[in-house]
Every structure is written in C-alpha cells, then in structure tokens.
C-alpha cells in the first residue's frame, strides 16, 4: 500500500471551530452575527416573499381593463338604457373578474372595492398573526399563514359568485400579511446587528420581483382563474418549511423555554462551525439574569402622543407610511389604465422597484435616513405631478412618469421600516411601528378608489398622489436623523431624541 493510499484511508481532521464574538446579545453570542446557517435560512424563508407581491397586486390582471361595446344598432353607449346587447373585447384577456360578473357601468366600482378588501385583509392579518406569533410562537404562525395562503388562494380559483371571490381574496390577504410579518421576524431574530440593516432592506426585493413577474404570468395566462392558480400553486413548496424552519430561539429564550432554545442554538452553531459546549451554561445564566431583572415600564400607543415633540415625530412618520402605501399601490394599479401594452407597461413600472430597493442600502448608509426619505418622496412627487401635467401625452411618456413615481416609492418603503424602528423609543417601538403600519394600510385601502377617479380625468389620481408626496416631504423636515445614534430607550429619551437643545 502506497503512502498516498494510507493517507486517503486515514480520517480527515475536523475543521477548526471558529469562535463567536461575545456580545450583550445572548443569542448572537452563540451562533454568530452572520454565517453559513444565516444565509441558508434567509434563502429558504425569502421564497414566501414572492407570493406576497403576487397576491397583493394580482388584482392588476385579475381585473384587467376589458373594453365593453354595445351590439344594439345605432347605440354606442353600452351603459345606456337603450343598449340591449353588449359584448366584451376578449382579444387580449379571455376572461377577467370584469367579464365573469359583468362589473361594468353602475357596478364598475365593485372591482376596486374587492382590492380595497384585500388591503384591509393585509391590515387584519398583520394584527392577527402578530398576536399569534407573540403568544404561540413564530413557527406555528408562519406555517399557518403559508398553508392558509395556499388553501384560500386555490379556493379563489373556484369562485362561483363575486361575493365568494371577495371573501376568499380577503382571507388570502390575511394569510399574505401573516407570511410577511412572521417571516421578517423569524429572520431578524437570528441576524446579528452588523448585517441586520442590509438584510432588512434587501428582504423587500422579492416583493418587487413578484410584482414585476405578474406581467409575465398574465402574458402567457389570459384567463383569470388559471392566472390565480398559477400565482398560488407555487405555495406548495412551503411544505419544506415544516422540516427546515425551526422555532425562533430568541422567542423560546424570552418565554422561558430555555431547553428548546438551547437545542436549536446547538444545531445552528454546529452548522456555523461554532463551539457548542458553552451554549447551555451561558444561555441559562442569561435567562436567570433576565428573570431577576425588574420589569421595565411598558408603554402604549397613547404614550406616543403625550409629549409634544414625540407626538410631532409620530404624526410625521405615520404620514410617510400613509403616503408611500398610497403612492406605491395606487400608481401600480393606475398604470393599467394608461393604455398601450398592459404587459410591457406594468413590467417596466414594477421592475424599477428592484434597483430602487437596492439603492436604498447605500443611500441610507451614506446620506442618512432623513435625506434619503426627502429625496425619494421628492422623486415620487416629481414623477406623479409630471404624469398629471402630461396625461394628454403618449403612453410611453405617461408610463415613464409613473415609473419615476414608483421608483421613489420603492426607495421609501424599506427606509420607513428602518427609520421608524430607530425613531421610536424601545418601550413603545412595537406600538409606534404598528401604528404607522396600520395608517399605511389605510393609504393602500383608499388607493384603488382614488384610481377610479380616472372617469373624470386621467390627471386627477396622479395629482392626488403627487400632492400627498409633497406633504410627506414637508413632514419629513421635522423628523430627526437617526443614523449612527444610540436608540432611545425610555419615553423621556423619545421626547429628547433629536432636539437641538434638549430640556
């Protein structure tokens, strides 16, 4: 036997363990800031974000414009009493919910109402699944949301009546909100602070990719039931989450389930090639210190409005959420009404969100949160006001202006998540971000109704969106910069934070 053969038969020496930097965070001190397992975990959980873009904005093609003409001789208005026979132009879309339930004339607003119900479902789902995740755990809330999205989405395909369609689209939206909120929390609770900022921003990209890919789905699938089926059936892959997504070790730790938390941390540490022998003693010691600590005073939503400066910051930040939700979802739906090739127009307008989200990372890092928000709202305002002024121009000009507005909103969206989380003090941080998110959903609920004003003029909706963007710029002036500053902890910190001469 040669020396090479002997060496080949000898067991390979295990890779040397990479020690983890010890910090004040007991979870990150065991598994590292961002290593192999973190990348794997993000790669699989991020799959659910594509569906959030599909289901939230699928209405664009489910209710795509389908021209209606009158077949009665000498009558041109299909909505007049004299018209006894009408016909849909199915040359582009073979069927939509418009043709399925004749949502025309006096029933035209019902289509927009169904989308407003979807946005209301997002609001309800964020609250419901937030409570489930806090009380029962992140994993059960996440799995329920994923499989609820699959089940209710498939039932939508079989809708025999319009009200049935609305009910189950609402339930799909509730589940979609659940996947958005719980997946984000699952990732944020195991990522260390060094990468948390960039991961939080880039996590929004799959939503933009999902939005853009709707045009591709719709191009090849022109019947609304099969289109709905195609954007839903992908959720079957969520079965892998049963085996690959563990409970959040941080949630287990804070709720006293230290044994389960330790077992999960040990598995993650092995995957990250980190030492495991110190996990149990350090976690048990950290929990003992946590349990012995005096409970801090908990804040409420009302505390956000008790003092003048914190009240001003809360109102201005909530206004930014309202505007970005209204502008993003409203403009995305408005593009379908501009004429021209609906597939290309929507693909272009949606695709600008991808570089916009990516650009948010260096902008917030080097320019700061405040300047980035001012610039992105300014971009939206310019694009939308131009769209209102040039509504008589060609389709390409209008789609270009709408894309500028969406580009600005795509930068604003991840920034308000980051900015809001840094602005509010710890004792009311969840309440503050939750309040802003709820107000933002109000903007997305009214957006389809604003788009319906196109019957009075194509310029009205973009002008409203543009004016609100200008108001957001004005409000942002009063919000202090948070980049690189220690986070406020108490309500007193929240009132002083950002003041030039704190009292």
């Amino acid at each position: 036997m040669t020396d090479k053969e002997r060496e080949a038969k000898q067991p390979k020496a295990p890779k040397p363990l990479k020690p983890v930097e010890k910090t004040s965070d007991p979870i990150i001190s065991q598994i590292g800031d961002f290593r192999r397992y973190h990348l794997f975990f993000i790669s699989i959980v991020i799959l659910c974000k594509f569906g959030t873009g599909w289901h939230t904005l699928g209405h664009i093609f489910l209710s795509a414009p389908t021209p209606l003409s009158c077949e009665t001789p000498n009558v041109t208005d299909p909505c007049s009493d004299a018209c006894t026979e009408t016909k849909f132009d199915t040359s582009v879309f073979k069927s939509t919910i418009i043709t399925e339930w004749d949502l025309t004339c006096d029933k035209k607003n019902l289509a927009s109402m169904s989308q407003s119900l979807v946005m209301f479902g997002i609001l309800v789902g964020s609250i419901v699944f937030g409570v489930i995740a806090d009380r029962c755990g992140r994993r059960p809330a996440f799995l329920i949301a994923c499989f609820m999205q699959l089940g209710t989405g498939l039932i939508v395909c079989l809708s025999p009546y319009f009200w049935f369609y609305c009910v189950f689209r609402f339930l799909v939206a509730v589940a979609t909100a659940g996947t958005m909120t719980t997946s984000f929390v699952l990732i944020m609770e195991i990522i260390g602070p060094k990468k948390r900022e960039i991961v939080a921003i880039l996590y929004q990209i799959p939503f933009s990719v999902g939005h853009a890919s709707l045009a591709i789905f719709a191009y090849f699938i022109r019947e609304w039931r099969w289109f709905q089926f195609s954007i839903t059936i992908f959720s079957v892959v969520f079965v892998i989450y049963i085996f690959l997504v563990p409970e959040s070790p941080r949630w287990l730790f804070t709720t006293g389930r230290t044994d389960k938390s330790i077992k999960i941390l040990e598995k993650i540490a092995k995957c990250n090639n980190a030492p495991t022998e110190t996990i149990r003693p350090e976690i048990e010691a950290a929990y003992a210190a946590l349990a012995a600590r005096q409970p801090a005073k908990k804040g409420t939503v009302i505390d956000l409005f008790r003092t003048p400066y914190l009240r001003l910051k809360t109102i201005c930040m909530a206004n930014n959420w309202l505007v970005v939700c209204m502008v993003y979802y409203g403009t995305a739906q408005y593009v379908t009404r501009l004429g021209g090739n609906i597939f290309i127009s929507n693909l272009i307008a949606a695709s600008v969100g991808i570089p916009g989200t990516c650009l948010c990372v260096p902008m917030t890092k080097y320019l700061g949160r405040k300047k980035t928000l001012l610039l992105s709202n300014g971009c939206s305002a310019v694009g939308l006001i131009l769209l209102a002024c040039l509504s008589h121009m060609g389709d390409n000009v209008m789609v270009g202006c709408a894309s500028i507005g969406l580009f600005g909103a795509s930068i604003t969206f991840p920034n308000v998540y980051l900015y809001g989380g840094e602005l509010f003090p710890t004792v009311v941080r969840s309440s503050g971000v939750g309040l802003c998110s709820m107000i933002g959903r109000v903007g997305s609920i009214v957006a389809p109704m604003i788009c319906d004003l196109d019957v009075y003029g194509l310029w009205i909706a973009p002008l409203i969106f543009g004016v609100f963007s200008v108001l957001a710029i004005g409000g942002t002036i009063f919000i202090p910069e948070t980049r690189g500053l220690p986070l406020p902890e108490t309500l007193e910190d929240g009132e002083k934070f950002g003041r030039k001469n704190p009292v």
Side-chain angles (χ1 to χ4, degrees):
M1 184 180 292
T2 64
D3 292 340
K4 288 185 178 181
E5 289 174 339
R6 290 193 189 95
E7 290 177 4
K9 284 191 174 184
Q10 289 179 353
K12 293 183 178 179
K15 291 183 179 180
L17 297 177
K18 297 180 180 178
V20 177
E21 180 184 352
K22 300 300 178 181
T23 68
S24 58
D25 187 324
I27 302 299
I28 302 305
S29 293
Q30 313 308 322
I31 60 177
D33 204 82
F34 190 90
R35 292 192 179 183
R36 182 191 306 165
Y37 179 82
H38 298 88
L39 181 60
F40 165 76
F41 189 74
I42 292 172
S43 299
I44 59 170
V45 173
I46 208 170
L47 293 174
C48 73
K49 279 290 286 185
F50 293 96
T52 62
W54 293 333
H55 291 292
T56 304
L57 292 163
H59 177 80
I60 292 172
F61 293 102
L62 289 169
S63 65
T66 314
L68 179 68
S69 59
C70 182
E71 297 291 293
T72 305
N74 302 320
V75 180
T76 56
D77 184 3
C79 294
S80 69
D81 294 334
C83 183
T84 58
E85 185 180 357
T86 58
K87 182 181 180 181
F88 285 102
D89 180 359
T90 55
S91 59
V92 178
F93 293 96
K94 292 181 180 179
S95 71
T96 64
I97 64 170
I98 308 296
T99 64
E100 182 83 16
W101 293 296
D102 192 23
L103 304 182
T104 58
C105 303
D106 58 335
K107 295 190 291 184
K108 181 180 178 181
N109 291 335
L110 290 178
S112 294
M113 181 208 70
S114 69
Q115 179 62 2
S116 292
L117 278 175
V118 167
M119 294 305 178
F120 183 63
I122 298 289
L123 187 154
V124 172
S126 299
I127 298 170
V128 170
F129 279 97
V131 172
I132 295 173
D134 284 340
R135 292 188 178 180
C136 305
R138 287 31 169 151
R139 173 182 155 86
F142 181 57
L143 293 178
I144 291 170
C146 287
F147 291 108
M148 179 180 172
Q149 186 185 81
L150 173 61
T152 53
L154 291 176
I155 292 174
V156 169
C157 306
L158 307 174
S159 301
Y161 311 107
F162 177 66
W163 64 264
F164 188 97
Y165 168 87
C166 289
V167 168
F168 278 90
R169 277 278 287 160
F170 170 82
L171 293 175
V172 170
V174 171
T176 298
T179 63
M180 282 195 285
T181 54
T182 54
S183 62
F184 185 76
V185 170
L186 274 167
I187 286 178
M188 288 298 103
E189 288 189 339
I190 68 164
I191 299 294
K194 293 179 181 177
K195 301 293 183 183
R196 197 170 288 156
E197 179 180 289
I198 188 171
V199 170
I201 293 174
L202 295 182
Y203 189 62
Q204 308 300 325
I205 289 180
F207 180 93
S208 299
V209 174
H211 178 194
S213 62
L214 282 171
I216 300 172
F217 279 104
Y219 180 80
F220 291 103
I221 305 169
R222 307 293 180 94
E223 297 181 13
W224 79 265
R225 293 181 187 272
W226 286 108
F227 172 79
Q228 173 67 24
F229 179 82
S230 68
I231 63 176
T232 301
I233 197 62
F234 176 81
S235 298
V236 169
V237 304
F238 294 165
V239 72
I240 67 173
Y241 293 153
I242 298 174
F243 311 101
L244 299 178
V245 176
E247 182 54 87
S248 166
R250 188 179 298 278
W251 180 83
L252 291 169
F253 170 77
T254 55
T255 54
R257 299 165 174 86
T258 52
D259 281 339
K260 291 182 179 179
S261 178
I262 289 166
K263 289 178 182 178
I264 293 172
L265 288 171
E266 286 176 344
K267 290 180 180 179
I268 297 174
K270 287 178 181 177
C271 183
N272 285 342
N273 200 32
T276 60
E277 64 275 1
T278 60
I279 292 179
R280 179 168 291 277
E282 290 185 5
I283 289 295
E284 289 178 346
Y287 182 72
L290 179 68
R293 197 179 305 159
Q294 290 293 327
K297 180 186 174 183
K298 295 182 179 179
T300 65
V301 173
I302 297 173
D303 290 321
L304 293 166
F305 299 93
R306 289 190 189 278
T307 53
Y309 192 45
L310 183 57
R311 183 192 311 131
L312 176 65
K313 291 184 290 185
T314 300
I315 292 171
C316 292
M317 180 55 71
N319 180 54
N320 268 287
W321 280 74
L322 174 77
V323 172
V324 71
C325 287
M326 182 191 297
V327 168
Y328 188 90
Y329 293 115
T331 307
Q333 293 170 64
Y334 181 80
V335 170
T336 63
R337 304 168 188 236
L338 296 180
N341 189 307
I342 187 174
F343 307 105
I344 294 176
S345 297
N346 277 277
L347 181 61
I348 293 172
S351 296
V352 299
I354 301 171
T357 303
C358 293
L359 187 60
C360 184
V361 176
M363 286 182 71
T364 53
K365 183 176 181 179
Y366 296 108
L367 295 179
R369 287 52 160 154
K370 183 172 183 173
K371 288 182 180 178
T372 299
L373 195 53
L374 288 169
L375 289 171
S376 60
N377 278 323
C379 181
S380 293
V382 169
L384 292 165
I385 292 174
L386 276 176
L387 177 57
C389 296
L390 304 176
S391 58
H392 60 284
M393 302 293 285
D395 298 334
N396 293 337
V397 173
M398 290 193 291
V399 171
C401 292
S403 298
I404 294 172
L406 271 175
F407 179 75
S410 68
I411 300 175
T412 303
F413 236 126
N415 190 18
V416 291
Y417 273 95
L418 177 63
Y419 205 173
E422 294 176 337
L423 183 69
F424 297 112
T426 299
V427 291
V428 287
R429 183 164 296 125
S430 295
S431 299
V433 175
L435 174 68
C436 289
S437 180
M438 286 184 63
I439 292 175
R441 300 309 166 193
V442 173
S444 59
I445 289 170
V446 301
M449 303 173 190
I450 295 174
C451 290
D452 278 347
L453 297 175
D454 67 336
V455 295
Y456 304 105
L458 271 177
W459 57 273
I460 298 177
L463 180 62
I464 293 173
F465 296 147
V467 169
F468 269 91
S469 296
V470 172
L471 292 176
I473 294 172
T476 304
I477 294 172
F478 299 100
I479 305 176
E481 179 58 71
T482 60
R483 179 186 57 162
L485 298 176
L487 298 180
E489 299 290 345
T490 64
L491 291 172
E492 185 180 3
D493 292 340
E495 176 63 18
K496 293 180 178 179
F497 185 74
R499 282 188 181 276
K500 291 183 179 178
N501 297 307
V503 180

